[in-house]
Amino acid sequence: MAALAPPTQRSFDARGRRLDYAGRTLVMGILNVTPDSFSDGGRSAALDDALANARRLVAEGADIIDIGGESTRPGHTPVPVEDELRRVLPVVEALAGLPVPLSIDTQKAVVAEAALEKGAAIVNDIWGLMGDPDMARVVATHDAGVVAMHNRGTVDASVDIVADILAFFEQSLERAARAGIAPARISLDPGIGFGKTFEQNLQALAALGRFVALGFPVLLGTSRKSLIGKVIETTPAERLPGTIASNVIGIMAGCAMVRVHDVAAHVQAARVTEAILHAA
């Protein structure tokens, strides 16, 4: 079956809520409700802390809150589904009334479905609908938005990573088409830091324009990642300048969304970048 044609309008449909990215970059704020996140493990593990941090991100200008209950950093320990549900569902339910849509960052269809039933509007899948065989059905059934991220089970330095990402996206879009997911509900993510060497991550960033050219909104996630620490030795907490630099490159290449820990700084960076681009 042919892959889906890209959406005609420049907006991302989050379960009926249209997020316009025409000339305005959407900022997705990260809310990790895990004790072992590589960057901010434990800061939002308690429910009250999670709610306070989510409200702060919205006040800083976040367009989406992305809630994750399982760390996916390199070498992470998989979380049993029961533990992931216990972590994320109370948070999703408590935040469902926020003025911005909620995204559930999970690779498990059962977690995605439970979160959607509690009020989430987007599924952020690190396996791009190609992991859990039930994920596409869950997204389609709930008319949810989906972020389909490129990933690889193993790192292989010999792979042409740009070609690999493009082929993966084609397969993801074919799976979405078979499930009946509307094009306007799909975003693509090149998966910086997932299944790639340092050089391949740089190559993927340099090729962002090719992914944008597919016609679907592209989400870029580089926030505080080891890529930055390999360019210049830094801890995750020290990587805001490098994160902003990579996301400005992404905005200039046409990315529709950036996924970040530091929302206020990126809202400012995005608005200034957009103002310059619009003046050209």
Side-chain angles (χ1 to χ4, degrees):
M1 183 175 185
L4 289 171
T8 55
Q9 75 274 13
R10 288 179 59 81
S11 63
F12 179 57
D13 186 338
R15 215 172 179 183
R17 188 180 307 190
R18 286 180 55 176
L19 301 174
D20 186 8
Y21 61 88
R24 180 185 178 279
T25 310
L26 301 173
V27 177
M28 176 185 278
I30 298 170
L31 186 69
N32 288 319
V33 293
T34 63
D36 59 345
S37 167
F38 83 96
S39 175
D40 57 358
R43 282 193 59 191
S44 298
L47 179 59
D48 288 347
D49 291 337
L51 303 187
N53 286 330
R55 294 183 183 113
R56 173 181 54 80
L57 294 174
V58 172
E60 290 177 353
D63 297 288
I64 303 166
I65 300 297
D66 190 43
I67 301 166
E70 178 180 33
S71 174
T72 52
R73 72 189 192 284
H76 74 280
T77 301
V79 173
V81 65
E82 296 80 7
D83 289 350
E84 190 175 350
L85 288 167
R86 176 178 51 79
R87 291 173 181 177
V88 301
L89 291 188
V91 177
V92 172
E93 186 170 24
L95 295 177
L98 284 178
V100 302
L102 304 179
S103 168
I104 181 67
D105 181 0
T106 186
Q107 56 188 307
K108 302 181 182 76
V110 65
V111 175
E113 186 149 48
L116 291 169
E117 289 171 351
K118 292 292 186 180
I122 301 165
V123 176
N124 186 1
D125 180 10
I126 65 167
W127 284 102
L129 303 176
M130 303 298 291
D132 190 320
D134 203 33
M135 187 67 87
R137 180 201 63 80
V138 166
V139 171
T141 298
H142 292 271
D143 289 332
V146 63
V147 178
M149 195 193 83
H150 172 268
N151 208 337
R152 289 182 55 83
T154 58
V155 177
D156 183 349
S158 69
V159 168
D160 180 336
I161 200 64
V162 174
D164 194 79
I165 292 170
L166 291 169
F168 183 97
F169 284 161
E170 183 177 3
Q171 293 174 356
S172 292
L173 292 170
E174 287 174 353
R175 184 160 293 189
R178 290 196 299 270
I181 300 171
R185 296 193 176 104
I186 300 171
S187 173
L188 303 176
D189 178 348
I192 303 302
F194 287 82
K196 301 171 183 66
T197 66
F198 169 65
E199 292 77 12
Q200 287 171 333
N201 282 313
L202 292 177
Q203 290 161 9
L205 286 167
L208 286 171
R210 294 184 63 181
F211 311 137
V212 170
L214 296 175
F216 293 84
V218 171
L219 181 146
L220 180 59
T222 62
S223 190
R224 303 184 186 178
K225 289 185 175 178
S226 61
L227 163 78
I228 298 163
K230 289 177 181 176
V231 173
I232 181 167
E233 187 174 348
T234 44
T235 66
E238 297 169 332
R239 295 172 186 164
L240 175 58
T243 302
I244 290 176
S246 60
N247 282 322
V248 167
I249 291 292
I251 294 169
M252 294 179 70
C255 290
M257 293 183 266
V258 293
R259 180 181 180 271
V260 300
H261 297 86
D262 304 285
V263 166
H266 279 88
V267 168
Q268 184 177 128
R271 299 297 90 87
V272 171
T273 303
E274 293 153 6
I276 294 168
L277 290 174
H278 295 161

